[in-house]
């Protein structure tokens, strides 16, 4: 508990919210031991790690503003717009003077054609441009996305995909962190899902990729999939309908195992399924699904495993049944669910 | 040339209360990108962020008579913003599928910063709601604890404890 108090003090010192007397107290604590100093350094490191480099910024607010003004029916046109319209009129008049009246229609036609081609090229180029996209889900969020080839992905909470849109001519590649279900449209180009550890290659199929920590799991609902380790690409297995395989850090893919895919892909219907899952992993999943804070007081509980299915239940019901299974209790402390013996 | 000094937030609020569009415009331009930053981080979507900003200012304008120049307009703007985000998430059931907007290539300065930013954004999005907003305001909006407390109507002590939890969770996620 004492450590916790200093933890918050360290954070305050970094954000500049520390009071002078608190600073004295913190410094005294830091001088007490090397361990305390390391502790502080770690918090500083976290602060530095969370720096974001490319925040978006809207430079030209005029368009946004005029839209809002219209919505709210505020009058008074900004002076600048009036001026530019006026100037444009002036310029047109000037040019009109140069041409004799009978040439004017030809001039207008040329101008129209020029504008048409300009737009044509601008839009043509835009549609050809490829973009680097990333889509990610927060807690409690599911997102569906249709790729340029018509393939479909559904992202579970706290997950992320990155890809180039449109896909290249030779390969359809998506990077994944978290969990997602793919329905891949058949195409000459292989469809690759790359995680930190593994690469899954398919041509056209429905399959699920789960990757958290040092593990990646693949479940094939329909079709054929090749799973290979990123460390040793030659190390691969082929999976077909209803099979599952997984890769752990520094190991080859496990032999395909037959599973009940509808059961195991319960997240698509809002079901939570755990099979001999360590409590630590369950807590991480519940945090993402329900967007809550859960703390486990006794660290030895983390390794305990649970097998259970929760079909669209409230977080309280889920926690209550977990506690019942493990013979422990939970209570709520300042919006945090605390599990303890 | 006329010398221009920008009016304070308090002066702006006073003028907005008497329906001066000019002052409302200034407030809009002054806080637009701050709110954009907040919404963008929270919704992962530029279009959504833009829409929500319009909602914030619509509320300000429609309720301008009730504004209080003695209270911080900044805190008020952020409070509305945060409530709107929470509402928009609530309306959407977690089962609902929709098309996400994306980050276009123009947003990305370098490949390296993309990699690190992605991990950070994901980690922040994985924080529980109440902790996340406190962290975002402190880290990316330079709010002091007292300002966060005022904005979210919570105690400074709660802000401190949520910041502690945020660091704890982020360190686990990012290490």
């Amino acid at each position: 508990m004492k450590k916790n108090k200093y933890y918050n003090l360290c954070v305050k010192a970094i954000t500049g919210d520390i009071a002078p007397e608190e600073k004295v107290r913190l410094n005294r604590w830091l001088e007490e031991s090397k361990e305390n100093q390391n502790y502080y350094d770690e918090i500083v490191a976290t602060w530095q790690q969370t720096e974001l480099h490319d925040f978006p910024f809207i430079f030209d607010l005029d368009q946004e503003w005029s839209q809002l003004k219209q919505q709210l029916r505020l009058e008074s046109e900004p002076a600048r717009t009036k001026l530019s319209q006026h100037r444009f009129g002036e310029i047109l008049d000037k040019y009109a003077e140069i041409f004799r009246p009978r040439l004017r229609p030809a001039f207008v036609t040329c101008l129209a054609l020029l504008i048409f081609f300009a737009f044509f090229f601008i839009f043509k180029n835009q549609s050809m441009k490829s973009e680097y996209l990333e889509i990610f889900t927060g807690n409690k969020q599911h997102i569906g996305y249709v790729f340029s080839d018509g393939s479909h992905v559904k992202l579970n909470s706290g997950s992320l995909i990155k890809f180039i849109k449109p896909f290249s001519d030779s390969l359809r590649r998506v990077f994944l962190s978290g969990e997602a279900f793919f329905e891949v449209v058949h195409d000459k180009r292989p469809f690759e899902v790359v995680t930190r550890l593994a690469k899954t290659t398919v041509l056209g199929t429905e399959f699920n990729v789960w990757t958290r920590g040092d593990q990646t799991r693949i479940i094939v609902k329909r079709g054929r999939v090749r799973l290979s380790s990123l460390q040793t690409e030659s190390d691969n297995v082929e999976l077909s309908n209803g099979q599952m395989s997984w890769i752990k850090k520094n190991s080859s893919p496990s032999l395909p195992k037959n599973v009940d895919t509808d059961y195991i892909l319960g997240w698509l219907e809002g079901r939570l399924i755990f099979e001999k899952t360590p409590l630590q992993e369950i807590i991480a999943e519940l945090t993402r699904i329900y967007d809550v804070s859960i703390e486990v007081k006794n660290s030895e509980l983390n390794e305990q495993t649970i097998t259970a299915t929760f079909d669209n239940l409230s977080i309280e019901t889920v926690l209550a049944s977990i506690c019942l299974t493990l013979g422990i209790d939970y209570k709520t402390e300042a919006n945090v669910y605390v599990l303890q013996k | 040339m006329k010398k221009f000094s920008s009016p304070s937030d308090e002066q702006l609020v006073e003028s907005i209360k008497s329906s001066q569009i000019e002052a409302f415009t200034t407030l809009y331009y002054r806080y637009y990108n701050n709110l954009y930053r907040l919404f963008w981080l929270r919704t992962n979507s530029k279009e959504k962020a833009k829409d929500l900003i319009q909602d914030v200012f619509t509320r300000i304008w429609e309720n301008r008579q009730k504004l209080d120049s003695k209270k911080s307009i900044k805190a008020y703007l952020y409070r509305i913003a945060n409530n709107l985000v929470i509402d928009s998430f609530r309306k959407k059931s977690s089962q609902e599928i929709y098309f996400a907007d994306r980050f276009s290539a123009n947003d990305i300065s370098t490949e390296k910063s993309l990699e690190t930013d992605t991990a950070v954004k994901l980690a922040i999005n994985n924080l529980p709601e109440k902790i996340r907003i406190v962290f975002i305001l402190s880290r990316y909006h330079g709010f002091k604890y007292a300002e966060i407390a005022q904005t979210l109507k919570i105690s400074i002590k709660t802000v401190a404890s949520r910041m502690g939890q945020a660091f704890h969770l982020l360190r686990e996620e990012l290490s």
Side-chain angles (χ1 to χ4, degrees):
Chain A
M1 216 64 249
K2 202 178 169 197
K3 207 172 185 185
N4 200 1
K5 198 171 79 191
Y6 283 106
Y7 196 99
N8 291 350
L9 267 192
C10 294
V11 175
K12 270 188 177 179
I14 293 159
T15 62
D17 280 277
I18 197 159
E21 68 273 15
E22 284 177 324
K23 198 165 187 177
V24 174
R25 212 146 38 88
L26 179 66
N27 282 337
R28 213 179 295 138
W29 181 75
L30 288 177
E31 279 161 18
E32 262 173 37
S33 71
K34 185 94 183 73
E35 195 194 346
N36 292 353
Q37 184 61 48
N38 288 343
Y39 202 64
Y40 180 78
D41 291 343
E42 274 180 35
I43 298 175
V44 173
T46 304
W47 178 260
Q48 284 162 352
Q49 265 183 309
T50 54
E51 187 180 336
L52 289 175
H53 303 85
D54 36 50
F55 256 118
F57 190 89
I58 309 259
F59 291 100
D60 185 16
L61 295 179
D62 293 351
Q63 199 194 334
E64 299 300 315
W65 169 246
S66 63
Q67 196 193 352
L68 180 71
K69 242 177 21 174
Q70 247 174 14
Q71 265 173 39
L72 296 178
R73 299 210 172 75
L74 306 176
E75 315 87 54
S76 93
E77 277 292 299
R80 213 192 308 168
T81 318
K82 267 187 194 156
L83 189 71
S84 57
Q85 273 165 0
H86 178 64
R87 281 222 184 114
F88 187 62
E90 236 173 88
I91 292 162
L92 266 189
D93 285 347
K94 235 183 219 164
Y95 276 102
E97 271 168 34
I98 298 170
F99 295 97
R100 275 167 293 162
R102 68 187 172 93
L103 277 179
R104 211 180 277 176
F107 172 70
V108 170
T109 317
C110 282
L111 196 68
L113 271 175
L114 200 70
I115 290 170
F116 173 77
F117 278 110
F119 271 99
F120 179 76
F121 281 110
I122 288 165
F123 284 114
K124 190 171 174 253
N125 281 341
Q126 264 181 2
S127 66
M128 296 298 283
K129 205 178 79 186
S130 60
E131 295 175 286
Y132 193 97
L133 306 184
E134 60 176 36
I135 297 173
F136 63 92
T137 47
N139 290 340
K140 262 174 139 179
Q141 244 185 329
H142 282 182
I143 285 180
Y145 182 79
V146 181
F147 296 108
S148 53
D149 66 338
S151 296
H152 190 273
V153 64
K154 188 171 172 186
L155 272 179
N156 203 351
S157 310
S159 304
L160 163 110
I161 51 169
K162 294 190 283 191
F163 54 96
I164 306 274
K165 182 199 166 191
F167 289 128
S168 78
D169 293 334
S170 55
L171 184 66
R172 299 174 283 172
R173 179 185 276 155
V174 177
F175 294 90
L176 168 77
S177 158
E179 178 166 27
F181 183 77
F182 293 89
E183 279 171 51
V184 175
V185 171
H186 194 89
D187 192 311
K188 283 199 299 284
R189 300 168 292 174
F191 192 102
E192 263 185 26
V193 179
V194 182
T195 68
R196 225 150 56 88
L197 299 173
K199 190 172 84 180
T200 314
T201 316
V202 304
L203 287 172
T205 174
E206 289 174 35
F207 66 108
N208 192 79
V209 181
W210 178 95
T211 173
R212 304 269 184 208
D214 286 335
Q215 240 197 89
T216 293
R217 273 204 304 261
I218 314 292
I219 297 149
V220 178
K221 198 172 169 190
R222 196 178 50 77
R224 288 173 78 78
V225 167
R226 186 168 58 244
L227 172 64
S228 53
S229 156
L230 279 189
Q231 278 104 353
T232 50
E233 276 212 29
S234 54
D235 225 358
N236 62 61
V237 292
E238 280 219 5
L239 299 165
S240 54
N241 289 9
Q243 290 193 317
M244 174 168 95
S245 172
W246 58 91
I247 288 188
K248 288 185 179 166
K249 201 176 182 182
N250 301 323
S251 73
S252 4
S254 72
L255 285 174
K257 180 184 154 194
N258 288 319
V259 291
D260 177 354
T261 53
D262 284 338
Y263 170 73
I264 223 158
L265 297 177
W267 74 268
L268 294 166
E269 266 90 46
R271 257 177 293 136
L272 273 171
I273 291 147
F274 300 113
E275 264 198 40
K276 290 188 196 143
T277 314
L279 184 63
Q280 200 169 15
E281 210 175 282
I282 295 180
I283 298 297
E285 189 72 18
L286 293 178
T287 307
R288 285 187 289 268
I289 304 290
Y290 291 97
D291 198 14
V292 291
S293 314
I294 304 169
E295 196 189 312
V296 178
K297 267 274 152 68
N298 320 81
S299 57
E300 68 271 21
L301 287 173
N302 279 329
E303 304 309 319
Q304 298 238 34
T305 62
I306 292 173
T307 298
T309 306
F310 303 110
D311 198 344
N312 291 294
L313 298 175
S314 72
I315 181 67
E316 286 80 11
T317 319
V318 171
L319 285 178
S321 22
I322 289 174
C323 288
L324 196 67
T325 316
L326 296 178
I328 57 174
D329 285 318
Y330 86 86
K331 57 180 180 181
T332 325
E333 250 174 33
N335 293 317
V336 179
Y337 295 99
V338 182
L339 273 62
Q340 60 184 27
K341 277 190 174 159
Chain B
M1 244 227 261
K2 224 160 109 187
K3 207 176 163 207
F4 179 78
S5 73
S6 55
S8 68
D9 278 5
E10 293 78 18
Q11 288 168 327
L12 283 182
V13 171
E14 277 306 317
S15 308
I16 292 169
K17 281 185 82 167
S18 54
S19 301
Q20 285 181 35
I21 297 168
E22 206 72 355
F24 186 52
T25 317
T26 308
L27 187 79
Y28 185 87
Y29 279 70
R30 186 174 289 178
Y31 283 106
Y32 191 95
N33 272 302
N34 290 324
L35 294 175
Y36 187 60
R37 187 176 255 230
L38 177 80
F39 283 133
W40 172 80
L41 246 186
R42 297 285 282 103
T43 62
N44 312 334
S45 154
K46 290 182 166 179
E47 285 315 310
K48 191 95 212 261
K50 284 182 181 174
D51 287 350
L52 286 167
I53 292 172
Q54 306 296 50
D55 289 351
V56 171
F57 283 99
T58 304
R59 286 194 189 195
I60 294 279
W61 184 251
E62 282 170 354
N63 298 307
R64 59 188 181 279
Q65 313 297 352
K66 291 183 212 143
L67 293 177
D68 184 350
S69 61
K70 287 185 207 77
K71 286 188 186 154
S72 158
I73 186 80
K74 182 176 164 193
Y76 187 54
L77 282 166
Y78 275 86
R79 182 157 61 243
I80 299 177
N82 187 43
N83 290 341
L84 283 175
V85 172
I86 294 170
D87 284 352
S88 77
F89 280 137
R90 233 170 244 157
K91 269 185 223 149
K92 210 177 288 134
S93 85
S94 68
Q95 287 301 304
E96 193 183 335
I97 299 180
Y98 61 93
F99 291 91
D101 270 294
R102 352 98 218 224
F103 301 94
S104 74
N106 308 338
D107 310 333
I108 299 155
S109 34
T110 65
E111 194 67 16
K112 194 174 178 313
S113 72
L114 169 82
E115 286 296 322
T116 54
D117 275 17
T118 301
V120 173
K121 275 184 276 179
L122 200 59
I124 291 165
N125 268 270
N126 281 339
L127 291 176
E129 178 75 52
K130 289 187 167 139
I131 292 173
R132 178 170 44 212
I133 183 66
V134 171
F135 181 78
I136 288 176
L137 290 181
S138 166
R139 183 68 176 92
Y140 306 114
H141 295 265
F143 275 50
K144 294 278 139 210
Y145 281 15
E147 280 182 286
I148 299 173
Q150 193 189 6
T151 303
L152 302 174
K153 294 197 166 164
I154 53 178
S155 71
I156 293 182
K157 235 181 120 186
T158 310
V159 175
S161 97
R162 286 188 190 166
M163 277 300 283
Q165 289 177 54
F167 269 81
H168 188 70
L169 292 168
L170 287 171
R171 201 181 59 180
E172 275 181 6
E173 191 90 6
L174 294 170
S175 60

